[in-house]
Amino acid sequence: MSSQTDITAFALQDILEGIADGLSDAQRNLRDIAPYDSFGRPNTIYHVPYLDFSLQVTSEFQTVTDDNHKTRSVLKFSPAKLTSSNTSKTEIYSSVTGRFVATVPNEGLPQTIIQVKTAEPVLDGTFYNIELEAEVKNSVGEKLPGSTVEFNFDEETSLEINGGTAVTAPTFSIAEVSTDVDGIAKTTVNIPKTEFDAGQFYVLAVNIGTVNKSVSLSKF
């Protein structure tokens, strides 16, 4: 049976994520309020611009074991108690304060969009060469030159989509490319012929900053 400490002790990351999740849920519910009431009158629409918080907690180091059976010490926090008769451990009383601030998505700029095109595979010895073309623009149709586009192999998703069968990681002629005046960035991915001919899937991740696009390549 878990002790009370096991139930109430959290890493600071867990505490902050819990507050953030609760705040997101609250704001989502506020956004779902109907704009008009049953008589056609405008309803008051609420928005949370910021949230200040202050937590009175005790902190102590605890030993945890990860999936690789390695142990490490982490700082855990529990709700502060006014009095405590426990003398078997050392606790530090402290306050954790902060503010969650609402920010405009994408810093108020139009949303960035990535569109990816793939050319027909070209056999080159024991590899297939496939050209990738990423076009970067925003939601109002403006091209975004000089943007850094990253091309990566999504090993985890590829493993999942192939039913747990691992595939050889492909290579790219260049992994980071700046878009030209037309907002275009190109690279070539090299995929082993035997695995590609066998119908294996290769999932590639194309991203610019926090904007991501996934592309799945397969012969069939």
Side-chain angles (χ1 to χ4, degrees):
M1 179 179 297
S2 297
S3 66
Q4 186 65 22
T5 301
D6 293 330
I7 296 174
T8 60
F10 299 97
L12 182 59
Q13 173 184 333
D14 298 326
I15 296 174
L16 297 180
E17 288 179 351
I19 297 174
D21 288 343
L23 182 58
S24 296
D25 290 341
Q27 184 59 67
R28 189 178 301 110
N29 291 334
L30 293 175
R31 286 199 304 265
D32 290 341
I33 296 175
Y36 300 96
D37 64 16
S38 58
F39 297 99
R41 297 171 299 192
N43 281 326
T44 301
I45 304 299
Y46 297 94
H47 175 71
V48 183
Y50 64 87
L51 172 69
D52 290 323
F53 64 91
S54 178
L55 307 173
Q56 300 296 319
V57 295
T58 60
S59 57
E60 62 173 319
F61 282 99
Q62 294 184 6
T63 301
V64 298
T65 304
D66 59 23
D67 295 337
N68 296 321
H69 304 290
K70 294 182 178 179
T71 59
R72 59 190 177 92
S73 294
V74 296
L75 188 63
K76 291 293 189 75
F77 296 85
S78 303
K81 301 177 183 179
L82 294 178
T83 60
S84 176
S85 60
N86 191 341
T87 59
S88 62
K89 60 183 179 180
T90 301
E91 295 179 331
I92 302 172
Y93 286 80
S94 57
S95 296
V96 179
T97 61
R99 168 178 287 190
F100 287 92
V101 181
T103 58
V104 180
N106 202 34
E107 298 181 353
L109 300 175
Q111 181 182 2
T112 300
I113 300 172
I114 303 175
Q115 294 180 330
V116 182
K117 298 179 181 179
T118 60
E120 290 295 321
V122 177
L123 184 59
D124 182 12
T126 58
F127 288 87
Y128 281 107
N129 297 332
I130 303 176
E131 185 181 74
L132 304 175
E133 178 183 295
E135 180 184 10
V136 182
K137 57 184 179 181
N138 59 30
S139 56
V140 297
E142 297 173 330
K143 300 175 182 178
L144 301 179
S147 301
T148 301
V149 180
E150 297 182 7
F151 297 88
N152 295 285
F153 172 54
D154 189 340
E155 182 178 3
E156 182 176 347
T157 306
S158 298
L159 182 65
E160 180 180 349
I161 202 172
N162 285 307
T165 301
V167 293
T168 304
T171 59
F172 297 89
S173 59
I174 184 170
E176 291 188 4
V177 189
S178 294
T179 55
D180 59 20
V181 293
D182 294 318
I184 302 294
K186 296 181 179 181
T187 190
T188 300
V189 59
N190 307 303
I191 298 178
K193 176 181 181 300
T194 54
E195 297 179 26
F196 197 66
D197 285 343
Q200 301 287 52
F201 288 87
Y202 286 79
V203 181
L204 309 179
V206 184
N207 71 280
I208 170 173
T210 58
V211 180
N212 298 278
K213 183 78 172 182
S214 292
V215 180
S216 177
L217 301 178
S218 176
K219 190 170 184 179
F220 305 108

